[in-house]
Amino acid sequence: MESMEIDRGKAPSTEEEKKEGKAIVLVLVGLPGSGKSTFCDEVVKVYRRRPWVRVCQDTINKGKAGTKIQCLSAATNALKEGKNVIIDRCNINREQRADFLKLGSAQTEIHAVVLNLPTKLCISRSVERTEHEGNLYGVKAAAVVNQMLPKKELPKLSEGFNRITFCENETDVKEAIYLYASLGPLDSLPSGRFGHNKTDTTIQLGIMKFLKKKASDIIVEKVEEFVSRIGRARLILVDLSRESKILSLVKAKAAHRNIGRNKFFTFVGDITQLHSQGGLYCNVIANAANWRLKPGGGGVNAAIFKAAGPELEMATNESADCLRPGKSVVVPLPSSSSLFAKEGVTHVIHVLGPNMNPQRPDCLKDDYVQGSKILREAYSSLFEGFVSILESQGIVTPAKDDQKAKREGAHVSDSNKKQKGSEQSLKHGVKHWATWFQALYNVAMDPAKDENIVLEKTDDVVVINDAFPKAQKHFLVIARLDGLDSLADVCKEHVTLLKTMHDVGLKWVEKSLDENKSLTFRLGYHSVPSMKQLHLHVISQDFDSNHLKHKKHWNSFNTRFFLDSVNVIKELEDTGSVTLITDDFRSMELRCNRCRSAHPNLPRLKSHVRSCKAPFPADLLQNGRLFTSEGNA
DNA sequence: GTTCTAGAAC
DNA sequence: GTTCTAGAAC
């Protein structure tokens, strides 16, 4: 959950950018031995792009140590001459820095660079150095550093700094040197905090750790509360990382509470590619938004806005300007959005959790009670939004008790993503891809409607000819079980169904072989199908069809992306789930399914396949994956 | 999923 | 010049 400070490092606003030509007083903050003098040397001596004056307390008194007053006066004079100033002294606490902040004005910005390197390193450096302007070296240095430590207080923007850069290691220091050294006379730097603040980060992680544990409780609690109100729709908790603590906590707790996998489950993957990469069909996704409802930041919010394109931004603007912590807003996604077109997402619900980030207004600091309360409200609001979508589409009927959580609080984005997938939430003539991907499902749910294309119908399956057959014979055996979108949904309890599908498929193989003994069949599933509802491909291996036009057509039936029905059933029996192959085979080579020779393009491959008489490869023949008139090959 | 098409590859 | 593909649009 690293996206706490999602606005950190963002581009300055246009007003900020106009602060051209302002002088800078750069207050260095660091222990003896942290590298302040080196920093000054690098910035002052090497580049000279912007005129800098180093004000060093150790040498200000005719080469000897002076006073803070002398430093202030030297700095004031330098500013009068149009120079920029680096204050080279420890400036270890607020009190020591305060007077230098008074140098700030409309023409002068006060910056801090914190050389927050490990204390051990500072001590060993200052002890080991043999000369120092302030004569601070040897054992004395160690004592001084140790004396200083308890007084150490990291600078805050609230002290009056326009910008603070934290450096935790040598790399950070080098970057900061480069930043200031390459600054031209008219350049300016964005305001705010930059780099890590180790101390605060530690506290932050503590809060996050607590919140994750707490959040998982709240998520499960809210899922349990809402699961009865979402009809045949489902809730899915998605996180990018397999190591996600919150995901595993929620998973365990949901299982413990007996929340069915058909209603709620967790999923590791990219929420912006649930369909194309994950094989899931989710019409509604939740976005951990920022309070301005703007794209950008770091984590999920940026990713979702990027994937959805400007359409989401525009649609969001029409719905709301900003969001209070604990609140959400439902935004219908225009069909022109690529997230809609590619992934079938029809709605994004922006939701804002509690803000535990001290850098932001409304921060709850360590008020876990209030934080938990707002997190609860956020999930309530999110799920209410989801239910309202389902209601508007007639998937569920409005409930009598309209319980709504409405309270105020603070904000921040929480990088785990709550995301909901619902079946058939496709409404008002939503066309194109969305109708395509729904078509098989519609046949499965209501075969009577498509009587003319249904070859066979049982309680479990429907058989049709593929609308765009990729071979002489190409059937689809579609499961009729609602909610079984694809192999990704299949688990042990579906073994019987898959066997039934296989047997029905074989029946149509036999029927076809009666008509044409020369055919060879293969039965299998696409790892990530483009159409919803689990369907078994029963396809003859000639691939003689005008509909086979693209590389992906060929490769979807002739690479490991195509999972043989027999193997799927075996793996399901052995392990309880099916391993899906999400290879991107658009650029994969094209190989003959018989002799395995490679071909440069599809037309050449097709022409080769038409005449290739080589026997099928051994692995296909040996494992009972091919079916011919001779029986199981 | 298909269709259309610009431009890359030949 | 034609063929082929990838990607956008539907």
Side-chain angles (χ1 to χ4, degrees):
Chain A
M1 310 297 151
E2 58 295 320
S3 66
M4 282 296 287
E5 289 177 64
I6 57 174
D7 284 342
R8 180 176 58 209
K10 80 176 182 190
S13 72
T14 39
E15 282 107 284
E16 279 169 336
E17 278 168 342
K18 280 175 194 149
K19 283 189 280 186
E20 288 179 336
K22 275 196 177 184
I24 296 174
V25 173
L26 177 53
V27 179
L28 294 183
V29 176
L31 295 168
S34 59
K36 296 187 293 296
S37 296
T38 312
F39 187 100
C40 291
D41 289 344
E42 295 289 329
V43 174
V44 175
K45 293 175 188 166
V46 181
Y47 292 88
R48 297 187 185 282
R49 291 198 59 186
R50 184 185 259 257
W52 287 98
V53 169
R54 173 186 175 213
V55 173
C56 173
Q57 192 162 334
D58 287 331
T59 58
I60 199 160
N61 190 16
K62 293 170 190 158
K64 292 180 177 172
T67 62
K68 189 161 80 172
I69 311 284
Q70 287 174 305
C71 293
L72 281 163
S73 131
T76 310
N77 290 337
L79 286 171
K80 275 183 193 154
E81 290 170 27
K83 305 274 177 62
N84 301 269
V85 183
I86 307 184
I87 309 293
D88 181 3
R89 62 198 289 280
C90 295
N91 297 309
I92 209 74
N93 57 32
R94 190 189 180 114
E95 192 191 344
Q96 295 223 1
R97 295 184 289 260
D99 287 325
F100 295 100
L101 281 149
K102 291 177 190 156
L103 297 169
S105 69
Q107 292 80 39
T108 308
E109 288 196 0
I110 312 290
H111 293 195
V113 165
V114 184
L115 302 171
N116 196 26
L117 280 82
T119 310
K120 263 188 181 174
L121 180 66
C122 295
I123 292 178
S124 68
R125 271 188 193 163
S126 50
V127 167
E128 276 163 32
R129 62 189 169 193
T130 52
E131 55 174 343
H132 179 249
E133 289 158 338
N135 285 320
L136 187 65
Y137 51 87
V139 185
K140 196 172 98 189
V144 170
V145 173
N146 278 322
Q147 214 179 340
M148 249 181 217
L149 272 178
K151 298 179 196 159
K152 186 176 146 184
E153 191 184 352
L154 293 172
K156 293 178 180 143
L157 290 174
S158 58
E159 290 174 35
F161 288 106
N162 299 87
R163 176 190 171 96
I164 304 175
T165 309
F166 289 93
C167 303
E168 303 288 336
N169 52 48
E170 294 294 346
T171 311
D172 293 350
V173 175
K174 276 190 186 132
E175 274 175 19
I177 288 171
Y178 179 77
L179 186 69
Y180 280 93
S182 55
L183 213 54
L186 297 178
D187 295 338
S188 69
L189 291 173
S191 306
R193 282 166 44 106
F194 296 83
H196 292 283
N197 173 330
K198 205 175 183 179
T199 311
D200 281 9
T201 308
T202 314
I203 295 166
Q204 217 50 55
L205 287 175
I207 296 169
M208 288 312 290
K209 204 174 165 188
F210 173 87
L211 270 185
K212 273 180 213 172
K213 196 169 176 306
K214 189 72 194 162
S216 61
D217 287 333
I218 292 171
I219 292 170
V220 174
E221 171 194 321
K222 285 293 160 187
V223 165
E224 206 168 21
E225 182 185 328
F226 275 86
V227 86
S228 60
R229 294 178 53 197
I230 57 170
R232 56 188 172 183
R234 296 180 305 179
L235 299 170
I236 305 166
L237 179 69
V238 180
D239 203 303
L240 207 50
S241 163
R242 193 163 288 283
E243 282 77 43
S244 164
K245 188 84 182 145
I246 202 151
L247 217 60
S248 53
L249 283 170
V250 167
K251 196 174 178 178
K253 283 171 187 169
H256 188 247
R257 301 278 195 95
N258 284 323
I259 300 173
R261 242 192 78 86
N262 56 338
K263 290 281 114 195
F264 172 73
F265 61 94
T266 58
F267 183 79
V268 177
D270 180 351
I271 197 165
T272 65
Q273 298 184 69
L274 284 176
H275 173 255
S276 58
Q277 294 294 313
L280 288 176
Y281 303 93
C282 292
N283 306 121
V284 183
I285 63 170
N287 175 32
N290 54 46
W291 71 278
R292 286 180 196 275
L293 292 171
K294 292 283 186 252
V300 195
N301 182 65
I304 290 177
F305 270 102
K306 190 174 171 222
E311 287 86 354
L312 177 60
E313 249 180 285
M314 278 161 22
T316 301
N317 286 340
E318 283 173 28
S319 305
D321 318 322
C322 63
L323 208 55
R324 301 290 304 165
K327 299 289 183 178
S328 70
V329 57
V330 176
V331 178
L333 199 58
S335 59
S336 51
S337 163
S338 55
L339 200 53
F340 187 115
K342 288 181 188 153
E343 308 295 330
V345 174
T346 61
H347 294 78
V348 173
I349 305 180
H350 298 296
V351 58
L352 190 58
N355 173 25
M356 301 310 239
N357 182 348
Q359 258 62 258
R360 306 279 202 77
D362 273 348
C363 172
L364 289 178
K365 297 210 171 58
D366 48 2
D367 188 346
Y368 300 142
V369 178
Q370 181 70 358
S372 303
K373 194 175 115 188
I374 288 163
L375 196 59
R376 268 200 189 82
E377 286 172 15
Y379 276 104
S380 286
S381 175
L382 168 62
F383 290 160
E384 288 292 353
F386 185 45
V387 169
S388 75
I389 295 171
L390 298 177
E391 286 173 358
S392 75
Q393 294 170 357
I395 290 162
V396 294
T397 45
K400 288 148 274 167
D401 54 329
D402 188 29
Q403 48 193 10
K404 275 183 188 165
K406 284 197 174 176
R407 252 156 252 141
E408 306 292 297
H411 71 277
V412 104
S413 105
D414 113 24
S415 87
N416 75 74
K417 331 140 200 196
K418 191 74 202 180
Q419 165 276 338
K420 304 83 126 300
S422 84
E423 333 304 293
Q424 54 285 119
S425 49
L426 299 159
K427 56 169 183 179
H428 55 244
V430 158
K431 287 170 222 150
H432 322 316
W433 184 82
T435 28
W436 265 112
F437 109 101
Q438 183 92 327
L440 294 184
Y441 174 82
N442 291 339
V443 175
M445 291 304 116
D446 195 359
K449 230 179 213 168
D450 297 288
E451 234 176 345
N452 46 339
I453 66 159
V454 171
L455 301 173
E456 179 184 353
K457 185 194 93 171
T458 71
D459 287 347
D460 299 315
V461 301
V462 168
V463 183
I464 62 169
N465 276 313
D466 192 294
F468 300 91
K470 302 298 186 288
Q472 286 188 45
K473 287 286 179 186
H474 186 180
F475 306 103
L476 300 180
V477 181
I478 312 166
R480 295 192 61 199
L481 183 63
D482 198 353
L484 201 63
D485 290 344
S486 75
L487 278 188
D489 296 327
V490 165
C491 52
K492 218 157 199 167
E493 64 184 84
H494 302 115
V495 168
T496 314
L497 175 59
L498 264 68
K499 284 183 171 169
T500 305
M501 291 169 75
H502 185 90
D503 291 343
V504 172
L506 280 184
K507 200 169 81 183
W508 285 89
V509 168
E510 278 162 28
K511 209 169 275 193
S512 304
L513 290 174
D514 285 345
E515 295 164 21
N516 183 350
K517 284 194 168 47
S518 72
L519 297 177
T520 298
F521 278 89
R522 205 171 156 193
L523 279 61
Y525 299 86
H526 284 156
S527 281
V528 183
S530 313
M531 297 175 82
K532 177 167 140 169
Q533 197 63 11
L534 183 70
H535 53 281
L536 172 70
H537 288 273
V538 178
I539 185 165
S540 61
Q541 294 298 289
D542 47 84
F543 294 103
D544 178 8
S545 163
N546 290 331
H547 294 293
L548 200 149
K549 293 173 178 171
H550 304 293
K551 262 185 173 175
K552 67 172 177 180
H553 291 148
W554 176 264
N555 282 333
S556 73
F557 290 103
N558 290 288
T559 65
R560 60 204 198 106
F561 181 85
F562 188 82
L563 303 172
D564 288 275
S565 174
V566 281
N567 295 358
V568 167
I569 291 169
K570 179 149 196 332
E571 190 183 356
L572 203 56
E573 284 176 327
D574 291 349
T575 72
S577 70
V578 185
T579 309
L580 304 178
I581 306 297
T582 55
D583 296 356
D584 180 8
F585 43 67
R586 279 171 298 191
S587 53
M588 217 180 254
E589 60 182 3
L590 296 166
R591 283 190 179 272
C592 171
N593 60 332
R594 288 174 176 268
C595 70
R596 292 282 181 228
S597 58
H599 298 267
N601 56 51
L602 199 68
R604 297 268 285 275
L605 173 81
K606 285 183 79 171
S607 115
H608 164 84
V609 168
R610 265 193 291 276
S611 58
C612 184
K613 297 282 181 282
F616 285 98
D619 61 313
L620 281 180
L621 290 165
Q622 279 160 9
N623 299 321
R625 293 152 69 189
L626 294 177
F627 303 89
T628 69
S629 57
E630 319 273 296
N632 197 330

